Amino acid sequence: MLTKHALHPLFAILLLTLVSSIAVATDKNCAGHIKGHYNLYWGDLHVHSGYSMDAYAFGTTATPADAFAFAKGQAIMLPDQSTTIRLQRPLDFAAVTDHAETFDVMYICTDPEQSNSTYCKGLRAGSGTDSKRSVQTFINYLLPLIAGNSPQPAPLCKQPDIDCNSAGKAQWKRVKRQANAANEECKFTAFIGNEWSATPNSQHWHRNLIFADDTATDEAIDYLRYPTTALMWQALDKQCLAKQGCDVIAIPHNTNLSEGGGFDVETENNQQLQLRAKYERLIEIHQSKGNSECLAENWDDNNADCGFEILFPSSVGRTPDAAQIEQHNHSYARNILSRGLLVYQNDGQLNPLQLGFIGSTDAHVASAGATAEHNWQGDAWGGNTFKQRIDYNPGGLVAVWAEQNTRASIFQALKNRHAYGTSGTRIHLRFVADTNGNNLCDNQSINSGIRMGSSFSKAKQAPSFTVIAHQDSLPLTQIEIVKGGLKNGKIAEHVYSIKTDQKGFSHSCNSWVDTNFDANSPAYWYTRVKEIPSPRWSKYLCEELDNCAQYPRANQMIKERAWSSPIWYLPKAAHQNDNTN
């Protein structure tokens, strides 16, 4: 006889099947998921832990697990062992991108092996919070690995009793394991990643490699074994196989310090162009080592079009001549995008530089997303001191419009360039195009437009562009649309201000029609939204120390901002690197 709490066996089986099916559905979609409805998620895709030799040299001992925990809202201790910081607003996703070139040495010399070799003893002895010793460790140990045209393994790896290959793989496994442990479906997305740190002749050609899920490569792709961008892409193509569930994007960063290199599409063959277009979907437009949007001769004017947080390589200093400016301009986002249009115009099929925009921090103290100006504590190398690091800043953030907070959804949004970058603020931003004469401010369905990061090839009339912006903590002051295109076969760039209010506004929806649209010429557009002026971190600090008169460049107000990923017009049929939905 059954009691009132017992279940008939058949009913129990049916109930178990139902529960299992619900569990499967939950695994695929988060609660409240609506197909075609996009939410805004905030993240940081460029963070270093103590697994990076440069971070370790300056005293960082935090692990990738610590960085992910910080991104979720837990406190972290800085290298000085006296300062604790915590995010007021945790992130939705993050990637820890340690330098793969030092995975082997860091595994052998620090954790977990702690080798007593002379090399390892020297590395450990020279690392810590003593800035002079740390700089020497950086110069003597890291630069020989990444700063030459023919990178060589560490001397430690040449010893017959040392297996650096196995050590590097072991470290990569630890990196993957910690990212997988930090990943929480629907709550927090932790991506597996590493940095490919090519620095030929001290030029930063670095890329962050972000993997879609736990099916990453068996080895970390580094500059030592793959010393050119072409070899790096080829390694990804051979080792990250779609049939095995692997997918990856390579994100160039610090292009402002690449001294004109890293985007040599004019001399690359078709295979290289195809691989570049396949893997390089985004560019980091803002981070702690400066802004990479654009460059002009008035670059040192903070209020100029291209004057925001510009940092030139130390080899150039603050007085570049006209030739240097022309060379370095090849490393900035606007020029890069425009050169992609030139290749597309000549090739007729492929735009190899169809890049969306993101921001990130490049933090070397595992402090993912710590971008607030008012309490920035500096980074691993020298803190927030004026003499050494006045041109640095807290870095930026990446925002994505995705259906849900999962690896699959956020990665697809990144790959499709449905993303934008900020200088650290959290401005809410939508940017869409329309080719049918609609004003999308009057349209309930903003999703009917051509989304940021996408392209179109036909237009019945001049396209209109709609910008929907909502402030973060400070009011907005200006909305601009930047257009890049070709005129008589040459690059032409224009900046259009579509709304300006010095007093500031909290939100706005504005549509603008490009009356100069040329249906025969490829082009791109993106929006730039600025906040009202606010104190830079250096101004907060010099006022606190009462020495602003001594450091006039520290005493600055800035306009925090956001940059949408572009929208492209590519009038020829084939868009081999485009995802429009």
Side-chain angles (χ1 to χ4, degrees), residues 413-447:
L414 292 168
K415 189 173 181 179
N416 290 353
R417 302 174 290 266
H418 300 328
Y420 64 94
T422 80
S423 59
T425 180
R426 297 195 184 191
I427 297 170
H428 286 220
L429 180 61
R430 300 289 294 270
F431 182 57
V432 295
D434 181 83
T435 60
N436 298 308
N438 298 318
N439 181 340
L440 295 182
C441 285
D442 300 326
N443 191 333
Q444 294 280 335
S445 178
I446 190 68
N447 291 331

Side-chain angles (χ1 to χ4, degrees), residues 122-443:
L123 172 62
R124 291 194 296 267
S127 299
T129 56
D130 183 310
S131 61
K132 291 184 178 179
R133 288 198 308 171
S134 296
V135 168
Q136 286 304 310
T137 300
F138 177 84
I139 293 172
N140 295 335
Y141 284 82
L142 180 63
L143 290 188
L145 301 181
I146 67 172
N149 282 325
S150 299
Q152 298 293 324
L156 176 73
C157 299
K158 298 177 182 179
Q159 297 180 17
D161 58 334
I162 298 294
D163 186 353
C164 281
N165 184 54
S166 295
K169 288 184 177 180
Q171 188 80 323
W172 181 227
K173 287 181 180 179
R174 297 174 77 207
V175 167
K176 293 189 286 186
R177 187 164 57 246
Q178 291 179 53
N180 289 334
N183 190 61
E184 298 180 73
E185 289 286 290
C186 305
K187 294 182 179 180
F188 179 85
T189 294
F191 286 111
I192 296 170
N194 72 269
E195 181 170 333
W196 176 82
S197 313
T199 318
N201 296 320
S202 297
Q203 302 169 16
H204 285 234
W205 294 6
H206 301 187
R207 266 77 174 164
N208 285 324
L209 309 182
I210 309 297
F211 291 87
D213 54 30
D214 57 357
T215 310
T217 52
D218 291 334
E219 63 176 12
I221 307 301
D222 62 52
Y223 176 54
L224 293 172
R225 289 170 297 172
Y226 309 102
T228 67
T229 51
L231 290 173
M232 180 262 293
W233 299 323
Q234 289 171 16
L236 292 175
D237 215 41
K238 292 178 180 178
Q239 299 183 41
C240 184
L241 302 178
K243 64 182 180 181
Q244 296 177 355
C246 186
D247 202 357
V248 62
I249 52 177
I251 306 175
H253 67 265
N254 267 148
T255 63
N256 57 315
L257 302 182
S258 67
E259 304 196 36
F263 298 93
D264 304 315
V265 291
E266 294 84 0
T267 59
E268 290 173 345
N269 60 40
N270 186 63
Q271 182 196 40
Q272 291 170 335
L273 294 175
Q274 292 279 353
L275 289 174
R276 179 189 287 276
K278 178 179 179 180
Y279 292 112
E280 298 200 352
R281 318 286 298 187
L282 300 163
I283 186 172
E284 191 178 273
I285 197 170
H286 186 82
Q287 64 129 260
S288 63
K289 296 190 187 75
N291 187 265
S292 298
E293 180 190 3
C294 56
L295 184 65
E297 292 187 10
N298 59 350
W299 68 276
D300 206 21
D301 179 359
N302 192 46
N303 294 313
D305 173 34
C306 300
F308 181 71
E309 294 289 7
I310 295 296
L311 189 155
F312 258 120
S314 57
S315 60
V316 176
R318 299 193 62 82
T319 56
D321 57 32
Q324 289 174 320
I325 288 176
E326 182 177 359
Q327 175 191 355
H328 286 277
N329 192 40
H330 278 219
S331 303
Y332 285 76
R334 281 191 201 168
N335 185 269
I336 290 169
L337 296 181
S338 297
R339 287 160 60 202
L341 295 182
L342 285 170
V343 174
Y344 172 79
Q345 184 83 317
N346 294 329
D347 177 78
Q349 292 187 329
L350 181 69
N351 178 358
L353 294 172
Q354 199 168 328
L355 300 168
F357 296 157
I358 67 164
S360 282
T361 61
D362 193 13
H364 278 63
V365 290
S367 55
T371 59
E373 300 278 344
H374 70 278
N375 63 357
W376 188 49
Q377 299 298 316
D379 213 324
W381 42 74
N384 48 8
T385 57
F386 298 145
K387 290 183 178 180
Q388 293 180 332
R389 300 294 169 184
I390 194 170
D391 290 326
Y392 284 55
N393 70 86
L397 295 173
V398 51
V400 300
W401 288 101
E403 290 188 357
Q404 51 191 339
N405 191 353
T406 63
R407 279 176 167 173
S409 186
I410 291 181
F411 184 85
Q412 195 60 48
L414 292 168
K415 189 173 181 179
N416 290 353
R417 302 174 290 266
H418 300 328
Y420 64 94
T422 80
S423 59
T425 180
R426 297 195 184 191
I427 297 170
H428 286 220
L429 180 61
R430 300 289 294 270
F431 182 57
V432 295
D434 181 83
T435 60
N436 298 308
N438 298 318
N439 181 340
L440 295 182
C441 285
D442 300 326
N443 191 333

Side-chain angles (χ1 to χ4, degrees), residues 1 52 165 200 387 547:
M1 182 177 68
S52 289
N165 184 54
K387 290 183 178 180
N547 63 359

Side-chain angles (χ1 to χ4, degrees), residues 506-521:
S506 62
H507 62 274
S508 179
C509 184
N510 297 88
S511 288
W512 171 83
V513 177
D514 185 358
T515 56
N516 296 315
F517 175 68
D518 180 356
N520 296 314
S521 182

